[in-house]
Amino acid sequence: MKHTLAIVLGTQTSWAVHTRKDGILSGTVDFPLRAEDHAAIRWIAFRDWLSSLLNTHNIHDVFVEMTTPSGTDAAKVYGAFHALLEIACYTHGCSMTEVEAGTTGNFPTDGTQENTPGSRVIAILHYGLSLNQADQQDT
């Protein structure tokens, strides 16, 4: 099985990783912009965190949940993080698949990890379902 990352981009980025050794790991990382920071600090922090995550877990496949940001600042953050994710996937040799927001619905995880949007994508993949099959189970 390939190592997989599912991610939901934003100032609070949700993520989940599935590896053979560790199973499912997930969490949320904050990338706030403090008044004293230059805007580039946020982008650099995200880039460094993402590169570390891809390298540490030897990620092969990335699934990013597509969302519609509310507001100008949220759209800027989402767009910048999405661009940095595309660059990171390219440079690390990972495939990147965009998943529509809500595709994973309320699909249950196995209870061993946080129920973040990213962890639901990982759980679906872990149980061998396609995203379409998971949608059908949600209805």
Side-chain angles (χ1 to χ4, degrees), residues 118-135:
S119 67
R120 288 194 301 268
V121 173
I122 292 288
I124 290 166
L125 299 172
H126 177 71
Y127 292 116
L129 299 174
S130 71
L131 295 174
N132 290 336
Q133 289 172 316
D135 276 349

Side-chain angles (χ1 to χ4, degrees), residues 10-90:
T11 300
Q12 289 189 323
T13 294
S14 297
W15 62 274
V17 170
H18 184 246
T19 68
R20 285 179 290 230
K21 178 183 172 196
D22 299 320
I24 298 173
L25 308 170
S26 64
T28 302
V29 180
D30 290 322
F31 297 100
L33 183 61
R34 295 183 300 269
E36 66 273 9
D37 289 343
H38 186 279
I41 297 298
R42 178 186 280 177
W43 316 139
I44 293 167
F46 178 79
R47 181 200 64 196
D48 291 349
W49 169 81
L50 181 60
S51 183
S52 175
L53 189 67
L54 294 174
N55 286 327
T56 300
H57 298 289
N58 193 25
I59 300 298
H60 300 316
D61 299 310
V62 175
F63 291 85
V64 58
E65 190 165 284
M66 302 299 291
T67 59
T68 303
S70 58
T72 304
D73 288 339
K76 286 179 185 177
V77 170
Y78 180 82
F81 285 0
H82 193 274
L84 289 167
L85 178 62
E86 286 180 356
I87 292 167
C89 286
Y90 178 78

Side-chain angles (χ1 to χ4, degrees), residues 92-128:
H92 286 86
C94 305
S95 69
M96 182 175 142
T97 303
E98 295 175 340
V99 179
E100 288 185 42
T103 300
T104 60
N106 293 316
F107 189 85
T109 61
D110 65 8
T112 61
Q113 68 280 343
E114 296 177 39
N115 196 20
T116 64
S119 67
R120 288 194 301 268
V121 173
I122 292 288
I124 290 166
L125 299 172
H126 177 71
Y127 292 116

